Amino acid sequence: MPLLDRMGWRTDDFSRDDVDGGIIVPLAALRSTLDARRAGVIGVEISNDVAVDRLAPYFAQLALIAIAFPAFGDGRGFSLARRLRQAGFAGRLRAVGPLIPDQGPYAFACGFDEIELPEASLARQSEAQWAAALGAISHAYQPGYARQTSIFERRRAARAHKQESRSHA
Amino acid sequence: MYAYDEFDERFVRERVAQFRDQVARRLSGSLTEDEFRPLRLQNGLYLQLHAYMLRIAIPYGVLSSRQLRQLALIADRFDKGYGHFTTRQNLQFNWPKLSDAPDILDLLADVGMHAIQTSGNCIRNVTADHFAGVARDEIEDPRPVAELLRQWSSLHPEFSFLPRKFKVAVTGATEDRAVLKAHDVGVRILRHPESGEIGYQILAGGGLGRTPMIGKVVRDFLPKGQLLAYLDAIMRVYNSEGRRDNKYKARIKILVHELGLDAFRNAVESEFAVGPNWSAEETAELARIAPSFSKIAYDDLPAVSRIFEAAKLANPTFAEWVENALFPHRVAGYAAVTISLKPVGGVPGDMTSDQMRAFADLAERYSSGELRVTHAQNLVLPHVKLDDLFDLWRTLGALGLATANVGLVTDIIACPGLDYCALATARSIPIAQAISRRFGDSARQREIGPLQIKISGCINACGHHHVGHIGILGLEKRGQESYQVTLGGEASDNLAIGELLGPGLSADEVADAIERIVAGYLAKRRPGETFIEAVRRLGVNAFKSAFLRGAQDAAA
Ligand code: SF4
């Protein structure tokens, strides 16, 4: 199924079938897969109500966690991504479900690296639309959401800069 | 007042462009109606019975003259020449076209306004005490915190697809005029009882609607600098655990109720304990925002104005108006003035564009160019010199805005109801008008004294009927409008939910029933006892027979 990250469409190096390369398994099969393929690249797909504690013991062995979005209006996945990042998960985080381009910036800000979409969305929503949505709002207010400096932090930096140049004058 | 900086300015402009693009994508079929719906709702655009409705945010109820003039211009150009102030300190236009919405949003951005998150399952426009910065019982002005929360909640990456809407209110006073206990989250600025340090008390789980609940204290005292982190924790618990299987059980009040207060609090506190802290940003932001709210230059005036006292003696009608319209100002020689948007027989909260423009001039002349919107659908001029009150009153009279009924029986709160709202089960405006006409006589109203009537056109309770001294809820029974009347609600620190008096009434029986309840009060009250005090003392049952008697007469 179509996969995109911040840069646009990308090929999926994971699969849900039992082949070589990365595999994504359901949570129920995680233990047995880890035991069977000690050296493999393993990802797990979870529903959006799984407790972080259940996964934390496996963080080091997991290359990817995929969080299912049953509907685009169900925002639990955003908080779960936040919690996983806060708990120290440093692997890839994937959102799986019918998200819309306008949610792209939210997903990436909450810690997702990529979004896996159903074919049907692809037919209606182009790569250009996803890219445009990412650039729609230059700066967000909220501090602490991934990889961009918030307006609050920028204001502080600007003030500190002003004070510094004043003290140099 | 807060003025946008370059970041705010760019943010709202980009938001307008984004919405323009969303509308275009909807029209091209790229977004389905289902996908577009939350996007338009988060820009304040509802589909109503007859047309779209655009709900404009008036953050914490504060408006400048310049902004009000722009609203008048929008009303003329894109609507039918009027706007409607709501119970959440917002303004609604009832007749815009979808294709005009982006242009309207651009006009709003020109004056530092927007319609962001006035609807949808997100953190809604933040409300606050309408006497902020004025009240004598204030520990600290709540507007800087409210503005901080406006920014923090805008397009929140994590909390824009919540189980349901989320309403936050802030007060900095000892008397709660923002009705915190009826909100999903309430923030009360207070002094620590022992250390005297200023911090926050956090309430959660209040709300009206189908299942009214009273908000509970989650945190007694939260030190300054930790508000955003704490709210993040509450929101994360709610976003993760709030019910999504049933939209009528999706508000945070149900989560708090089902988990129990202690379990909810523990969940929030553990989330708070592991979350990042934004103390430095929060403190710096509040310090940046706060001075914009303390720029008014007051004159040095005596506490008593001779002009004002003489005008009251010479003009009894003026004196009557003054009785209920004034709220004491912390600065000597000034008052905050409430202007009723409830003319006898009128539509509660409606204002024409001509009135808006004239009112904007008045605010400039008499109140530093600033006005407030109250959750009772009235306006406030917050900084009027006592010396100017008589002149102000005369000008208001010429505009049809000097109705002397603030807080009285005809100062009725009513939602739009079946005249506009797609969810309504009955009309509310005509009911308000009928009651207003019935009690229109000024001497009679004053004889009755303070009495709040609140009317909703369906169970969603936008008219806050649960907390009206008398509440009226319009339902539909076998194709007929049927009105339930409740008694004993209160929208104050002692937030109380009214009790049902008896079976539903038809539309034309309501005014008579109110009349009987009021007659019962007048007959039984002790000297100086207000309506709600009498209801508390006598109990709701004492009024049932009067209420039922009429209902039986009508049936016979
Ligand atoms: S209470 Fe019901 S009828 Fe009234 S505005 Fe709200 S949803 Fe509409």
Side-chain angles (χ1 to χ4, degrees):
Chain A
M1 284 205 276
L3 184 70
L4 64 84
D5 64 13
R6 278 192 192 71
M7 311 309 295
W9 302 120
R10 55 172 291 173
T11 46
D12 196 347
D13 46 352
F14 277 83
S15 147
R16 287 176 178 76
D17 304 321
D18 195 6
V19 291
D20 293 340
I23 186 172
I24 299 176
V25 298
L27 184 55
L30 180 60
R31 259 257 67 104
S32 57
T33 313
L34 286 173
D35 290 343
R37 305 183 166 213
R38 291 200 178 279
V41 182
I42 295 168
V44 66
E45 179 158 4
I46 57 175
S47 59
N48 60 13
D49 55 0
V50 167
V52 171
D53 293 348
R54 277 191 70 189
L55 283 173
Y58 308 114
F59 278 176
Q61 293 153 277
L62 280 170
L64 177 145
I65 298 176
I67 301 174
F69 281 73
F72 80 98
D74 184 341
R76 277 178 283 189
F78 296 119
S79 282
L80 183 51
R82 269 299 268 182
R83 281 176 163 163
L84 287 169
R85 288 297 187 217
Q86 251 173 43
F89 179 67
R92 259 157 72 185
L93 262 184
R94 176 183 293 194
V96 183
L99 297 190
I100 56 175
D102 307 84
Q103 291 177 307
Y106 293 164
F108 296 131
C110 288
F112 286 107
D113 300 292
E114 56 198 35
I115 303 169
E116 184 182 332
L117 297 163
E119 296 286 349
S121 327
L122 183 62
R124 283 186 289 107
Q125 291 158 1
S126 68
E127 184 171 9
Q129 288 180 356
W130 281 89
L134 274 190
I137 309 285
S138 311
H139 308 299
Y141 286 105
Q142 302 75 18
Y145 285 81
R147 292 186 200 89
Q148 72 143 326
T149 325
S150 68
I151 292 177
F152 291 172
E153 290 157 293
R154 277 166 194 272
R155 283 180 180 144
R156 256 183 94 207
R159 266 193 305 273
H161 181 75
K162 240 189 251 158
Q163 268 163 13
E164 198 170 308
S165 45
R166 229 180 276 141
S167 59
H168 283 296
Chain B
M1 284 182 55
Y2 180 73
Y4 279 11
D5 73 351
E6 55 188 306
F7 291 105
D8 302 307
E9 166 75 23
R10 183 163 180 194
F11 183 87
V12 292
R13 291 288 175 199
E14 289 179 337
R15 177 65 164 171
V16 176
Q18 184 189 41
F19 185 58
R20 213 178 271 284
D21 177 59
Q22 288 166 344
V23 172
R25 277 185 284 143
R26 171 66 200 118
L27 295 176
S28 76
S30 173
L31 287 167
T32 64
E33 184 52 34
D34 270 357
E35 289 168 338
F36 179 59
R37 199 169 160 271
L39 304 180
R40 79 166 152 71
L41 288 177
Q42 297 200 4
N43 276 290
L45 206 61
Y46 271 86
L47 195 53
Q48 294 279 75
L49 271 185
H50 315 290
Y52 279 102
M53 176 270 276
L54 181 66
R55 185 183 289 157
I56 288 156
I58 300 175
Y60 35 94
V62 179
L63 266 182
S64 68
S65 292
R66 183 163 165 260
Q67 291 172 326
L68 187 60
R69 284 193 192 101
Q70 190 81 335
L71 294 171
L73 180 137
I74 294 169
D76 282 340
R77 198 177 290 173
F78 298 101
D79 203 287
K80 297 186 176 177
Y82 66 95
H84 175 78
F85 289 101
T86 77
T87 53
R88 294 212 67 250
Q89 301 179 317
N90 292 314
L91 179 88
Q92 295 182 179
F93 287 121
N94 285 312
W95 307 97
K97 290 207 283 289
L98 173 61
S99 52
D100 287 335
D103 291 338
I104 299 176
L105 296 181
D106 249 330
L107 285 170
L108 290 175
D110 288 343
V111 292
M113 294 183 79
H114 59 69
I116 298 171
Q117 289 165 214
T118 52
S119 176
N121 294 336
C122 50
I123 304 168
R124 299 289 190 85
N125 181 38
V126 176
T127 54
D129 183 353
H130 48 268
F131 291 126
V134 168
R136 290 180 184 164
D137 65 342
E138 194 165 88
I139 291 139
E140 199 175 88
D141 190 336
R143 288 171 298 172
V145 168
E147 173 59 27
L148 176 77
L149 297 185
R150 181 191 74 81
Q151 299 186 18
W152 160 80
S153 62
S154 292
L155 273 57
H156 200 293
E158 187 179 347
F159 307 130
S160 290
F161 292 86
L162 298 170
R164 199 78 174 82
K165 59 187 166 187
F166 202 94
K167 299 175 181 174
V168 180
V170 190
T171 185
T174 42
E175 185 191 338
D176 176 13
R177 286 173 289 266
V179 206
L180 299 192
K181 287 177 188 161
H183 286 78
D184 295 276
V185 158
V187 178
R188 183 199 288 274
I189 302 173
L190 45 58
R191 245 176 230 293
H192 192 284
E194 279 134 41
S195 69
E197 177 195 348
I198 293 182
Y200 309 107
Q201 183 188 60
I202 310 291
L203 294 91
L208 300 175
R210 190 168 293 254
T211 325
M213 299 229 185
I214 294 173
K216 297 156 190 76
V217 175
V218 181
R219 179 63 105 93
D220 273 323
F221 188 83
L222 183 74
K224 282 199 165 188
Q226 304 193 7
L227 186 60
L228 295 184
Y230 202 82
L231 293 181
D232 271 336
I234 292 182
M235 298 309 302
R236 192 161 303 131
V237 167
Y238 170 57
N239 192 34
S240 307
E241 324 286 333
R243 287 182 63 171
R244 291 177 190 258
D245 57 333
N246 178 343
K247 87 174 221 196
Y248 301 118
K249 303 201 163 169
R251 295 284 291 271
I252 195 174
K253 62 189 173 187
I254 305 291
L255 179 68
V256 175
H257 180 72
E258 287 182 354
L259 283 180
L261 180 60
D262 288 338
F264 175 78
R265 181 186 290 129
N266 289 343
V268 170
E269 291 288 341
S270 15
E271 196 70 51
F272 178 60
V274 299
N277 196 321
W278 301 106
S279 189
E281 279 71 22
E282 179 174 324
T283 308
E285 266 308 298
L286 283 174
R288 184 185 73 85
I289 294 168
S292 53
F293 292 108
S294 52
K295 283 196 176 141
I296 292 169
Y298 297 103
D299 289 347
D300 222 346
L301 297 172
V304 177
S305 154
R306 258 190 262 148
I307 306 177
F308 173 51
E309 298 304 325
K312 277 197 288 187
L313 285 179
N315 195 321
T317 330
F318 172 61
E320 277 171 22
W321 175 78
V322 159
E323 234 172 77
N324 299 304
L326 293 203
F327 181 84
H329 201 292
R330 64 185 169 80
V331 178
Y334 286 81
V337 182
T338 304
I339 289 88
S340 166
L341 292 183
K342 319 285 176 62
V344 170
V347 178
D350 270 10
M351 196 176 202
T352 67
S353 56
D354 285 340
Q355 286 178 326
M356 288 183 203
R357 270 182 291 264
F359 197 79
D361 293 344
L362 281 186
E364 236 151 38
R365 186 153 14 123
Y366 295 114
S367 184
S368 302
E370 186 192 324
L371 60 132
R372 311 276 175 85
V373 183
T374 77
H375 63 79
Q377 300 174 291
N378 290 321
L379 298 181
V380 168
L381 289 176
H383 317 286
V384 183
K385 285 181 193 165
L386 298 178
D387 289 351
D388 289 339
L389 280 169
F390 187 64
D391 287 345
L392 170 66
W393 173 74
R394 277 198 304 199
T395 328
L396 285 170
L399 296 171
L401 289 171
T403 314
N405 65 350
V406 173
L408 301 181
V409 57
T410 60
D411 185 1
I412 299 168
I413 292 185
C415 79
L418 201 50
D419 291 285
Y420 296 99
C421 178
L423 303 171
T425 40
R427 294 167 302 157
S428 25
I429 293 172
I431 302 297
Q433 290 170 316
I435 298 171
S436 169
R437 273 187 226 107
R438 179 69 66 94
F439 290 96
D441 179 65
S442 155
R444 187 157 173 237
Q445 288 192 53
R446 285 186 303 122
E447 164 68 16
I448 297 165
L451 203 181
Q452 295 170 5
I453 298 182
K454 303 187 195 245
I455 310 175
S456 304
C458 81
I459 192 82
N460 286 324
C462 303
H464 303 171
H465 64 275
H466 299 294
V467 294
H469 298 163
I470 298 176
I472 301 170
L473 165 63
L475 297 169
E476 193 217 285
K477 260 195 196 151
R478 284 172 243 106
Q480 296 283 315
E481 288 168 316
S482 168
Y483 293 88
Q484 291 191 341
V485 180
T486 53
L487 185 67
E490 223 175 318
S492 66
D493 271 330
N494 312 314
L495 189 74
I497 311 291
E499 285 174 52
L500 193 61
L501 275 173
L505 306 174
S506 69
D508 49 11
E509 291 168 342
V510 175
D512 288 335
I514 307 300
E515 180 107 51
R516 290 196 303 275
I517 298 170
V518 170
Y521 154 66
L522 291 176
K524 290 176 189 162
R525 74 173 164 190
R526 291 177 175 165
E529 192 176 47
T530 65
F531 180 82
I532 191 65
E533 286 163 0
V535 172
R536 288 278 167 272
R537 177 174 59 85
L538 296 160
V540 170
N541 280 335
F543 291 83
K544 272 189 181 156
S545 63
F547 176 80
L548 290 172
R549 177 161 32 82
Q552 279 151 5
D553 292 351

